[in-house]
Amino acid sequence: MAFQPLGFVFLFLLGVQGVQITTTTRQTIYGVGASGAWWVNDLALYPNDVRQNISDLLLNQTAGLGLTDYRYNLGGGGVGVTTWDRAAETPYVSDGVYNWSADAAGTYYLKEAAQQGVPVLTLFVNSAPTTMTSNNQSCGGDLVTDRIPAYVQYLTDVISHWKSEGVEFTHVSPMNEPDDSFSSCGQEGMQVVPQQRAEVVTTLAASLKAAGLSTQVIADESSETSNYVSDEPVWLNATVGESLGGNCHHLYDFANATTQQEVFEYGRNLSGGVPTWFTEICCYNAADSSEADDPLAALTYSSQYDPTMLSGLRMAHLVWQSFTYAEDSHWDWWTALSNEIGCTLSENSTCWDGIQSDGWDDGLIYYDPDYNSTQNYDIKLAKRYYVLKHFTKGVPIGSIRRAVTPDSDTDDGAWRVLAFDYDASCEQYSTCDYTPYSVVAMNAQWNASSITLTSDGTFNLTQPTAMYRTSVTEDYAEVQAPALSANGSLVIDAPEMSIFTLFFQ
Ligand SMILES: *[C@@H]1O[C@H](CO)[C@@H](O)[C@H](O)[C@H]1NC(C)=O
Ligand SMILES: *[C@@H]1O[C@H](CO)[C@@H](O)[C@H](O)[C@H]1NC(C)=O
Ligand SMILES: *[C@@H]1O[C@H](CO)[C@@H](O)[C@H](O)[C@H]1NC(C)=O
Ligand SMILES: *[C@@H]1O[C@H](CO)[C@@H](O)[C@H](O)[C@H]1NC(C)=O
Ligand SMILES: *[C@@H]1O[C@H](CO)[C@@H](O)[C@H](O)[C@H]1NC(C)=O
Ligand SMILES: *[C@@H]1O[C@H](CO)[C@@H](O)[C@H](O)[C@H]1NC(C)=O
Ligand SMILES: *[C@@H]1O[C@H](CO)[C@@H](O)[C@H](O)[C@H]1NC(C)=O
Ligand SMILES: *[C@@H]1O[C@H](CO)[C@@H](O)[C@H](O)[C@H]1NC(C)=O
Ligand SMILES: *[C@@H]1O[C@H](CO)[C@@H](O)[C@H](O)[C@H]1NC(C)=O
Ligand SMILES: *[C@@H]1O[C@H](CO)[C@@H](O)[C@H](O)[C@H]1NC(C)=O
Ligand SMILES: *[C@@H]1O[C@H](CO)[C@@H](O)[C@H](O)[C@H]1NC(C)=O
Ligand SMILES: *[C@@H]1O[C@H](CO)[C@@H](O)[C@H](O)[C@H]1NC(C)=O
C-alpha cells in the first residue's frame, strides 16, 4: 500500500493535476430533476408525436435523460397572471369541490412521469387558489392565515386524488419562493411570511399522514441565501424539522461555494439534520464581463440564451458546488423546456445554435416561441440537457457522495471531480471492495487537459467498466475508458470544455 501515499506526494511534486478518491462518505443524494412549469401549456398545442418524444427525452429511465425527479406545478388558476402560458389551471372549484379535468396540459406530463417510472415526483405550488390569497388573485397577494387549514386540505385532496389514479407524489412543496409575492404578475406567486411557514409545514405533514399518504413535505424554496439566512431561523427548528423531508432552497444570488457551505450547514443545524435540497436555478451569465468565456466564472442572474458547453459547464459547476460545498442531497434545474431563445427562427433557422443575449438559460430543451404562426415544431437540445445526464446517470437515487481531495473551488485548477457509491452494501464497504460506483469529472477550460485519479491508499481503484463524455462535439457519447495503470492510477485525457462520467460497477 505504500506506493499510494507516495504517489500522492509525487503528483504534486511533479505538478501533475491529480485528485485522490477517499473512502470518506458524505451525504446521500436523492434525485436530480427539473420542472413542468410552464411549457406544458405550449406543448399541449403540439403534435402528439412531439409531445410523446419530449416525454421520452426527459423521463424515460433507460433511453432518455432519465430525470430522477419531475416537479409538477399545481396551478392556482392563473387569475391576474399576464403571461398566458404561465396561468396554470387549478382543479380547485370551492372548498372540497374539484374539477379533475382541469390542467390537462400539466397532468399529461405528470402521468407520463409516473408511467415512465420517475422515482421522485414532487408537487410544487406557486400560488394557492384565489379564495386563500389576500387579493383574490394568483399573484401579488399573501397566503391568508385563516385559510391555511383549507389550503392544507386542498393539497391533501389533490395528492389523494392522484394516488387513486396511480400517480404517487413522493414530495410536496407548498410554497415556492414565499419571500416574493410576484406582484408584477408575470407568473403565479404568493407571499408566505416566515411566521406562517411552520404552521403550513407541520399541519400539511399531519394532514397527509392522517390521509394515509407517505408524501413528504419539502420547504421553503427560499429564492437566495440572503432570504434563507433571515427567514429559516424564524420558522425552522428541530421540532418543525420532524415534519420536513427536505429543507429546500434556490440560489438566485449565486452565492459562492464557501458561503453555500456555511449557510446550508447552518440550515441543517437549525432543523435537526434535515437534508438540504437545491430545488431551482437558471438564468445566469458571468458577473464580471471579463470572464464572459470562463465556465468557472462567478455568476449573476442575467438574461442570455446559451445552448453551448459554456453554459453546460456553468451548470455542472453549480451542481459540483451544491454537492461538494452546500452538501445538498438533491439538485434541480428550473424548467425542463423553454421558448426563451432570444431570436426569431423564421428569420434565421439556425439562430438557436448560437448564444443570444436576449434569451434566457432557463430550459434544457427549447422550442420555437412562434410555433403558432410558423407551425415549426422542431426542438433544440441545449448542451445542458446532455451535461445533466452525467448526473442523472452517475448519481442515481440513494448514491452516497465520497470526498475527493483536493476539492477546492478557489485554486487555479480547472478540473472539478465528484465520486459516488451507490450499491447500499458498499456503504459499509463489506462486500464491494471499496470500489466507487461512479466518478463525474469536468475539464472546465478552453484547453485539452489530463487528470490523474488515484485512491487515497486505503483501497484500490478498479478498471472502469464504461465512460461517457459530453464536449463541444459530443453528446453523452460512450468513449473508451482509460486503462487502470499498474500503479493503480487512472488518467483521463480530456478535450477542452468536457465532462465525463466513469462507471466502475
Ligand atoms: C502511474 O502510472 C501512470 C501510467 O503508467 C503514470 O503516468 C504515472 O506517472 C504513474 N504515477 C506514479 C505516481 O508513479
Ligand atoms: C425526438 O427528438 C430528437 C431530438 O430532436 C430527435 O433526434 C428524434 O428523432 C425525435 N424522435 C422522435 C421519435 O420523434
Ligand atoms: C373543468 O375544467 C375543464 C378544463 O378547464 C373545463 O373545460 C370544464 O368546463 C370544467 N368543468 C367544470 C364543471 O367546471
Ligand atoms: C424507454 O425507452 C426504451 C427504449 O426505447 C423502451 O424500450 C421503453 O419501453 C421506454 N420506457 C417507457 C416506460 O416507455
Ligand atoms: C376577496 O373576495 C372576498 C369574497 O368574495 C371579498 O370579501 C374580499 O373583499 C375580496 N378581497 C379583495 C382584496 O378583493
Ligand atoms: C419550534 O417552532 C415551532 C413553530 O414556531 C414552535 O411552536 C415550537 O415551540 C418550537 N420548538 C422549539 C423547541 O423551539
Ligand atoms: C464568498 O462570498 C462572501 C460573501 O459575499 C465573501 O465574504 C467571501 O470573501 C467570498 N469568498 C470567496 C472565496 O470568494
Ligand atoms: C453546526 O453545528 C455543529 C455542531 O454543533 C457546529 O460545529 C457547526 O459550527 C455548526 N455550523 C454552523 C454553520 O452553524
Ligand atoms: C444565424 O444565427 C447563427 C447563430 O447565432 C449565426 O451564427 C448566423 O450568422 C446567423 N445567420 C445569419 C444569416 O444571420
Ligand atoms: C395558439 O393557438 C391556440 C389555438 O390553436 C390558441 O388557443 C392559443 O392562444 C395560441 N397561443 C398563442 C401564444 O398565440
Ligand atoms: C492553453 O494552455 C496554454 C499552455 O498552457 C496557455 O498558454 C493558453 O493560454 C491556454 N489557453 C486558454 C484559452 O486557456
Ligand atoms: C491493492 O493492491 C495491491 C497490489 O495488488 C495489494 O497488495 C493491496 O493489498 C491492495 N489493497 C487493498 C486495500 O485492497
Side-chain angles (χ1 to χ4, degrees):
M1 286 313 301
F3 65 82
Q4 271 148 342
L6 214 58
F8 179 60
V9 171
F10 274 128
L11 287 172
F12 285 92
L13 287 178
L14 299 175
V16 175
Q17 265 216 281
V19 299
Q20 284 191 319
I21 296 166
T22 76
T23 50
T24 304
T25 52
R26 304 294 304 181
Q27 80 272 30
T28 300
I29 310 291
Y30 201 76
V32 175
S35 86
W38 296 283
W39 51 273
V40 292
N41 296 309
D42 288 311
L43 267 287
L45 304 172
Y46 270 55
N48 277 336
D49 62 330
V50 181
R51 250 182 142 187
Q52 183 61 47
N53 195 21
I54 293 292
S55 170
D56 294 337
L57 287 169
L58 292 173
L59 307 172
N60 186 299
Q61 298 292 300
T62 54
L65 167 55
L67 291 177
T68 53
D69 180 16
Y70 181 72
R71 286 168 60 89
Y72 167 72
N73 176 218
L74 176 63
V79 178
V81 174
T82 54
T83 317
W84 86 268
D85 58 351
R86 298 182 178 188
E89 291 181 4
T90 178
Y92 176 91
V93 177
S94 59
D95 287 8
V97 180
Y98 302 101
N99 175 0
W100 300 119
S101 306
D103 192 28
T107 60
Y108 173 90
Y109 283 102
L110 171 61
K111 287 182 277 190
E112 283 292 315
Q115 194 251 324
Q116 300 265 17
V118 176
V120 177
L121 281 184
T122 301
L123 180 152
F124 84 98
V125 180
N126 289 312
S127 174
T130 55
T131 69
M132 305 170 195
T133 61
S134 60
N135 62 350
N136 298 341
Q137 292 203 144
S138 311
C139 52
D142 294 352
L143 179 63
V144 175
T145 301
D146 286 350
R147 297 288 282 152
I148 290 174
Y151 181 49
V152 160
Q153 190 61 52
Y154 156 71
L155 294 175
T156 304
D157 289 348
V158 171
I159 292 167
S160 291
H161 164 75
W162 283 110
K163 187 180 178 188
S164 73
E165 297 285 313
V167 175
E168 293 201 39
F169 284 106
T170 56
H171 296 83
V172 54
S173 171
M175 46 192 150
N176 190 56
E177 300 187 350
D179 43 76
D180 188 347
S181 74
F182 288 90
S183 58
S184 57
C185 283
Q187 65 166 81
E188 292 191 341
M190 66 174 172
Q191 180 171 249
V192 182
V193 296
Q195 290 75 8
Q196 294 176 307
R197 295 180 201 168
E199 182 184 349
V200 172
V201 165
T202 56
T203 61
L204 177 56
S207 172
L208 293 165
K209 194 174 175 195
L213 297 163
S214 57
T215 312
Q216 293 191 301
V217 181
I218 59 172
D220 60 5
E221 312 231 24
S222 283
S223 300
E224 52 187 56
T225 57
S226 59
N227 302 120
Y228 185 95
V229 294
S230 62
D231 293 357
E232 299 318 82
V234 177
W235 70 271
L236 185 56
N237 61 31
T239 310
V240 174
E242 288 168 12
S243 296
L244 210 53
N247 173 217
C248 51
H249 65 85
H250 304 173
L251 196 78
Y252 284 106
D253 52 357
F254 297 91
N256 64 34
T258 45
T259 299
Q260 291 185 52
Q261 181 171 41
E262 185 182 328
V263 166
F264 300 119
E265 181 180 298
Y266 170 63
R268 287 187 294 274
N269 281 1
L270 275 179
S271 66
V274 175
T276 50
W277 284 28
F278 186 118
T279 47
E280 187 183 316
I281 200 65
C282 71
C283 311
Y284 46 69
N285 201 348
D288 180 339
S289 59
S290 71
E291 296 183 322
D293 294 329
D294 182 358
L296 298 174
L299 300 176
T300 190
Y301 186 77
S302 171
S303 61
Q304 174 161 289
Y305 163 83
D306 177 357
T308 75
M309 276 310 277
L310 179 59
S311 179
L313 290 180
R314 282 176 174 162
M315 179 184 74
H317 186 218
L318 287 166
V319 179
W320 180 86
Q321 289 178 332
S322 167
F323 285 165
T324 305
Y325 278 76
E327 299 204 70
D328 294 319
S329 291
H330 184 101
W331 203 87
D332 295 316
W333 181 253
W334 170 217
T335 69
L337 268 74
S338 166
N339 61 14
E340 299 281 356
I341 58 175
C343 63
T344 305
L345 286 167
S346 57
E347 288 167 8
N348 177 350
S349 63
T350 61
C351 71
W352 63 5
D353 295 339
I355 294 173
Q356 302 291 347
S357 58
D358 290 341
W360 291 88
D361 276 351
D362 54 352
L364 303 170
I365 300 177
Y366 283 80
Y367 58 96
D368 185 353
D370 302 321
Y371 66 89
N372 251 13
S373 54
T374 61
Q375 267 86 59
N376 173 10
Y377 300 117
D378 291 348
I379 54 169
K380 164 79 186 175
L381 276 56
K383 283 288 184 182
R384 290 188 299 277
Y385 171 91
Y386 299 105
V387 170
L388 197 60
K389 189 167 181 175
H390 287 269
F391 297 98
T392 57
K393 296 302 173 192
V395 197
I397 300 271
S399 303
I400 299 166
R401 186 174 68 85
R402 265 202 212 185
V404 301
T405 54
D407 68 355
S408 175
D409 200 36
T410 51
D411 69 13
D412 294 333
W415 279 90
R416 297 290 182 275
V417 179
L418 289 155
F420 299 94
D421 290 335
Y422 177 43
D423 183 338
S425 66
C426 295
E427 196 177 349
Q428 306 306 324
Y429 299 117
S430 50
T431 60
C432 63
D433 211 15
Y434 295 75
T435 304
Y437 172 73
S438 66
V439 164
V440 181
M442 73 188 95
N443 175 33
Q445 59 186 322
W446 291 97
N447 254 342
S449 177
S450 297
I451 194 162
T452 304
L453 306 179
T454 54
S455 87
D456 65 354
T458 59
F459 71 103
N460 289 331
L461 283 172
T462 57
Q463 173 61 38
T465 55
M467 182 166 87
Y468 294 84
R469 181 166 72 205
T470 299
S471 65
V472 173
T473 58
E474 299 156 302
D475 298 324
Y476 201 77
E478 183 161 13
V479 291
Q480 181 74 48
L484 189 70
S485 310
N487 62 21
S489 70
L490 277 170
V491 179
I492 303 176
D493 292 318
E496 62 177 4
M497 301 291 281
S498 56
I499 183 167
F500 295 76
T501 297
L502 289 80
F503 292 97
F504 292 84
Q505 295 173 27

